[in-house]
Amino acid sequence: MAQALNRALHDEMATDDRVLVFGEDVGRLGGVFRVTDKLQDGFGQERCFDTPLAESAILGTSLGLALYGFKPVPEIQFDGFAYPAFEQLVSHIAKYRNRSRGTVTIPVTVRIPYGGGIGAVEHHSESPETYWVHTAGLKVVTPSTPSDAYTMLRQSIQHPDPVVFLEPKRRYWMKEDCELPVDDPRPLHQAVVRHQGSDVTLVAYGPMVRTATEAAGAAADELDASVEVVDLRSLNPLDERSIVASVRKTGRCVVVHEAAMTLGMGAEIAARVQEMAFYHLEAPVLRVTGFDTPYPPAKLELFWLPDVDRILDIVDQSLSF
């Protein structure tokens, strides 16, 4: 996936000289996860450059560059580092179109590696998606496969409005046989069914899609259940039509994500399914999530993160209702 993201940045920079890549260690080093590897060699220090360790300044600079006609693609090195830049993103980048009565757009794509599973400490393994989804004016997307990572990043950079592009860091090393660029890519904000099923719908996104798909395979053997997996891809806007279509088919819904349960995406999806598919439900909408605690030390994270067994337990609970 990291190579697919690197290729997407390369191809967009080659296509449009207004695209600028910058952040902490993205230049000579090529980024902590090497997503920006060799971009500075190919496009020079004026289009791919290192910044000070000052996230608020990185996003403030992005806003100014966008106002002057550039397409900034800033990298926030780790999820928890985005909090010092919260005000720039929420109060200014997100609001500018509305503030200017639609006359000024801000085409900034903020890349943020997120989620756990790599043995890092807090501030390096968090899932802050709810903060951005809750903010009007921000599009929020997250790929689960290398081919989607390539296509969705290019679509995000080409989008006229700000996009928070969440990269599931423990899937950076995920491999997939695919031809780039992808022919006839899906629209940026369209969900996709990753595993067909008829008994229960699992709704997941980003790093949890692979785990949910593994759980769907295990459910056939251990629970004799047919489980469908819906990959959201976009968290805002939400492709509620695809979610509801699947729930109307299966009658049951379980939402899976790494972020804490309280006011997470699962709560929003449960509410919308309740509103739009109430008479098709055979059981309450259930959730498998991270816990409402700070992210734990590395030795404990595998007990904290949702895994196949936890998903199967909740799927069984839904089927038994």
Side-chain angles (χ1 to χ4, degrees), residues 21-244:
V21 173
F22 51 93
E24 296 160 7
D25 297 321
V26 304
R28 181 185 298 178
L29 181 66
V32 173
F33 298 102
R34 304 298 186 268
V35 172
T36 57
D37 190 35
K38 294 184 171 52
L39 293 180
Q40 190 175 78
D41 293 342
F43 297 98
Q45 296 185 24
E46 292 188 349
R47 295 192 59 198
C48 178
F49 53 91
D50 292 325
T51 66
L53 274 66
E55 287 77 12
S56 181
I58 292 171
L59 291 196
T61 300
S62 300
L63 173 62
L65 286 167
L67 289 171
Y68 274 88
F70 291 96
K71 292 187 172 181
V73 188
E75 176 183 294
I76 300 297
Q77 201 167 60
F78 285 93
D79 31 55
F81 298 2
Y83 303 144
F86 190 89
E87 198 264 346
Q88 289 289 350
L89 187 51
V90 169
S91 295
H92 302 296
I93 291 176
K95 300 295 194 300
Y96 226 94
R97 177 190 275 273
N98 184 66
R99 188 174 296 158
S100 64
R101 300 298 183 263
T103 59
V104 178
T105 59
I106 302 297
V108 176
T109 301
V110 185
R111 294 181 40 246
I112 305 178
Y114 81 115
I118 64 166
V121 296
E122 63 168 320
H123 279 71
H124 296 70
S125 303
E126 300 190 354
S127 298
E129 58 265 32
T130 298
Y131 299 125
W132 318 127
V133 171
H134 190 66
T135 302
L138 294 179
K139 305 290 191 300
V140 183
V141 301
T142 177
S144 68
T145 68
S147 56
D148 264 3
Y150 173 84
T151 301
M152 292 171 66
L153 182 54
R154 293 200 68 179
Q155 291 172 323
S156 297
I157 295 171
Q158 294 166 14
H159 201 282
D161 291 315
V163 177
V164 176
F165 192 89
L166 297 170
E167 299 172 2
K169 66 169 77 78
R170 69 164 147 162
R171 304 303 182 205
Y172 273 142
W173 302 274
M174 181 182 187
K175 298 182 185 302
E176 177 189 17
D177 289 329
C178 60
E179 292 290 333
L180 301 179
V182 177
D183 291 333
D184 192 23
R186 303 179 187 88
L188 179 60
H189 301 299
Q190 178 180 309
V192 61
V193 174
R194 296 291 182 193
H195 189 277
Q196 295 284 346
S198 57
D199 295 330
V200 181
T201 296
L202 285 181
V203 179
Y205 54 88
M208 281 291 107
V209 172
R210 181 169 178 173
T211 308
T213 304
E214 291 171 354
D221 297 328
E222 298 186 25
L223 304 176
D224 193 25
S226 175
V227 174
E228 182 150 296
V229 177
V230 177
D231 177 1
L232 291 180
R233 301 173 75 245
S234 173
L235 307 185
N236 189 31
L238 195 60
D239 182 5
E240 54 192 19
R241 178 177 297 181
S242 294
I243 301 170
V244 169

